[in-house]
């Protein structure tokens, strides 16, 4: 990467994370996933080196950097074959929301742990009957006379709830003045009575599991609410931009890993007189996906710069576009990489086939391809809504 685009510090961070990725690469992640475990050694090492909390405030144990730096970490680990999906939710969404809107006690209770890897937080917004339409979520929070909260509702596809110390749950409270429901964010500790989870049987080879959650009269203290009861939507959006930027980083890293494997194979594999990489039918599609990944990274960098500069609105459009571009580039990159390996593309030994489902995650979550196209149609182009 050119020095004009990225500072020496950023290049050094990339190189250092890539070196960590070499130590804990694809083989490590495959082994851990196969054994049904979690990449705890990598998580702990990344935390120790200051990478996990690089975006969190230095007043609370973080590195004092931004989402730009955190995205570098996730992209480079992904490019080594060992992306840490929980980075998208724990330091990026939850860490951002708490550091921007949490009380001093919440910051002290959570941020140092999120940064040093001793605590992890999941994020739950998706509901079975709402899906992409998050205005339709029905998890409700009732405020009791003593200021405590009672939550009821259901969530689905929430990642990492088993390993997370708590889940940041998006619920709704009714506005005493207007009677309308407004979103609110609550920290729900894992073993809180009434907070149930069931693992969903996913066709994914990843250490992070997805869960269906039930909240049945979950009683929470007053200080479980994060931020201002009346500014829930704003606070929620503050966490969603980092989520999209980090999903872009996840997708770009995975795409780079797949293309790297395919290029190495295409340089060696010879079935006629020259390696298969000399055939343009193999070389050009790989060149295309390489270009698409580079372009997606540029948009991700723009989004991260805007976000870190405090431009939440500008970052919103760029973060959505970056997530879209990166997911599409990743899906195509993985598809072409698998194809480049012929039959070996589908063997466990070469380990690329499992990325076919992995790459689709970035297309559907945290917001689907179609919902981003809707957003750009309406917000950027001013076209009317069909729904
Ligand atoms: C591996 C994985 C991890 C996840 N982790 C989390 C997590 O940690 N926390 C969390 O809260 N959620 C998580 N999710 C959920 C994810 O955010 C949702 O799956 C996603 O938002 C889509 O919702 P849905 O699955 O209900 O699809 P639906 O909303 O039912 O959509 C189905 C299809 O219809 C399309 N569609 C819907 N509405 C429109 C429209 N208006 N116009 C055009 N097309 C439309 C969609 O694009 C999609 O293709 C995860 C999902 C996966 C797969």
């Amino acid at each position: 990467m050119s020095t004009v685009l990225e500072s020496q510090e950023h290049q050094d961070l990339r190189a250092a994370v890539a070196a960590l990725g070499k130590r804990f690469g694809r083989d490590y992640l495959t082994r851990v996933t196969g054994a049904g475990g979690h990449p705890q050694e990598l998580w702990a090492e990344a935390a120790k080196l200051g990478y996990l909390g690089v975006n969190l405030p230095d007043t609370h144990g973080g590195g004092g950097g931004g989402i730009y730096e955190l995205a570098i970490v996730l992209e480079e680990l992904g490019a080594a074959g060992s992306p840490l999906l929980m980075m998208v939710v724990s330091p990026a969404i939850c860490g951002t929301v708490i550091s921007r809107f949490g009380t001093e006690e919440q910051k002290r209770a959570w941020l140092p742990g999120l940064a040093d890897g001793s605590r992890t937080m999941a994020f739950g917004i998706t509901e079975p009957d709402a899906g992409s339409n998050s205005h339709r979520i029905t998890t409700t929070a009732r405020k009791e006379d003593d200021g405590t909260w009672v939550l009821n509702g259901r969530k689905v596809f929430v990642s990492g709830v088993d390993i997370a110390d708590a889940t940041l749950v998006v619920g709704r409270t009714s506005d005493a003045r207007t009677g309308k429901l407004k979103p609110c964010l609550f920290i729900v500790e894992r073993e809180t009575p009434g907070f149930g989870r069931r693992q969903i049987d996913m066709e994914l080879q990843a250490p992070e599991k997805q869960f269906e959650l039930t909240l049945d009269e979950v009683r929470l203290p007053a200080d479980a609410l994060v931020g201002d009861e009346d500014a829930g939507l704003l606070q929620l959006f503050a966490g969603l931009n980092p989520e999209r930027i980090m999903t872009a980083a996840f997708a770009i890293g995975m795409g780079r890993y797949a293309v790297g494997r395919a290029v190495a194979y295409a340089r060696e594999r010879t079935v006629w007189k020259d390696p298969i990489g000399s055939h343009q039918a193999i070389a050009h599609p790989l060149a295309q996906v390489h270009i698409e990944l580079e372009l997606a990274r540029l948009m991700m960098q723009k989004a991260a710069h805007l976000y870190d500069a405090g431009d939440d609105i500008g970052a919103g459009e760029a973060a959505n576009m970056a997530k879209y571009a990166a997911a599409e580039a990743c899906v195509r990159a993985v598809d072409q990489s698998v194809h480049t390996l012929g039959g070996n593309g589908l063997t466990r030994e070469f380990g690329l086939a499992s990325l076919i489902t992995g790459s689709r995650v970035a297309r559907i979550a945290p917001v689907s391809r179609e919902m981003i196209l809707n957003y750009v149609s309406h917000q950027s182009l001013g076209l009317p809504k069909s729904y």
Side-chain angles (χ1 to χ4, degrees):
M1 172 151 314
S2 129
T3 45
V4 179
L5 269 180
E6 237 172 35
S7 68
Q8 190 58 50
E9 281 90 358
H10 286 158
Q11 291 181 65
D12 292 347
L13 178 62
R14 264 187 204 285
V17 179
L20 176 66
K22 272 215 172 80
R23 283 171 52 210
F24 294 93
R26 191 75 196 161
D27 291 346
Y28 164 75
L29 201 74
T30 306
R31 205 170 51 247
V32 167
T33 306
H38 296 283
Q40 275 144 354
E41 300 84 359
L42 173 55
W43 189 262
E45 194 65 16
K48 200 172 92 188
L49 293 166
Y51 301 156
L52 275 194
V54 70
N55 65 315
L56 298 175
D58 46 15
T59 47
H60 293 84
I67 281 298
Y68 194 102
E69 287 79 16
L70 195 67
I72 287 180
V73 175
L74 184 55
E75 182 193 331
E76 291 303 327
L77 288 177
S82 47
L84 294 174
L85 183 71
M86 287 308 283
M87 282 186 66
V88 178
V89 275
S90 193
I93 310 178
C94 303
T96 297
V97 169
I98 292 173
S99 55
R100 284 186 62 173
F101 305 106
T103 60
E104 187 50 38
E105 287 73 48
Q106 287 167 339
K107 289 182 194 173
R108 273 207 298 265
W110 286 99
L111 298 180
L114 296 186
D116 72 17
S118 60
R119 302 193 91 184
T120 310
M121 209 184 257
F123 178 70
I125 181 167
T126 309
E127 293 191 3
D129 297 329
S132 301
N133 186 359
S134 43
H135 296 293
R136 218 174 142 183
I137 65 171
T138 55
T139 294
T140 50
R142 193 177 74 233
K143 195 173 190 172
E144 303 286 76
D145 291 341
D146 61 358
T148 59
W149 295 93
V150 179
L151 263 61
N152 281 288
R154 281 166 72 204
K155 298 282 172 194
V156 73
F157 296 128
V158 182
S159 301
V161 185
D162 56 335
I163 50 164
D165 299 272
T167 301
L168 188 62
V169 169
V170 183
R172 306 180 88 178
T173 59
S174 75
D175 191 308
R177 201 167 40 82
T178 63
K180 280 194 180 154
L181 289 174
K182 52 188 184 176
C184 277
L185 297 151
F186 294 93
I187 299 172
V188 183
E189 306 243 3
R190 188 176 52 212
E191 304 307 336
T192 308
F195 186 44
R197 62 174 188 269
R198 185 187 69 82
Q199 189 179 322
I200 305 171
D201 195 10
M202 303 290 282
E203 201 62 75
L204 279 172
Q205 268 182 43
E208 304 84 5
K209 311 291 178 230
Q210 278 67 47
F211 294 86
E212 196 179 300
L213 305 179
T214 45
L215 296 109
D216 182 13
E217 291 286 296
V218 173
R219 198 163 284 277
L220 301 175
D223 65 2
L225 174 79
V226 179
D228 185 346
E229 211 181 311
D230 292 317
L233 202 59
L234 184 96
Q235 293 160 188
L236 183 58
F237 281 133
L240 296 189
N241 283 335
E243 178 185 50
R244 283 152 178 60
I245 294 166
M246 290 296 282
T247 307
F250 176 86
I252 293 165
M254 183 183 290
R256 280 178 53 199
Y257 171 76
V259 172
R261 292 290 304 270
V263 166
Y265 190 89
R267 279 206 194 106
E268 299 291 326
R269 173 76 173 157
T270 306
V271 288
W272 305 95
K273 73 179 165 42
D274 292 313
I276 55 167
S278 67
H279 306 311
Q280 288 175 344
I282 288 294
H284 282 186
L286 288 173
Q288 272 172 323
V289 292
H290 177 66
I291 292 170
E292 287 171 17
L293 288 167
E294 286 283 314
L295 290 175
R297 191 212 261 137
L298 269 181
M299 188 47 99
M300 177 183 78
Q301 289 169 323
K302 174 178 174 176
H305 271 306
L306 288 171
Y307 182 80
D308 289 337
D311 181 356
D312 283 344
I313 305 286
E317 185 188 54
N320 274 297
M321 289 180 173
K323 195 312 272 202
Y324 173 91
E328 294 312 299
C330 175
V331 167
R332 279 195 289 274
V334 167
D335 184 68
Q336 190 56 40
S337 301
V338 168
H339 193 65
T340 301
L341 270 67
N344 278 333
L346 299 180
T347 60
R348 281 199 184 221
E349 184 192 347
F350 281 83
L352 282 186
S354 65
L355 297 184
I356 294 175
T357 38
S359 62
R360 301 297 288 239
V361 175
R363 183 181 270 171
I364 196 78
V367 53
S368 74
R369 170 178 64 181
E370 290 69 32
M371 292 314 291
I372 293 181
L373 293 175
N374 285 335
Y375 173 93
V376 172
S377 308
H378 309 144
Q379 303 293 326
S380 310
L381 305 181
L383 290 168
K385 248 183 171 177
S386 69
Y387 56 94

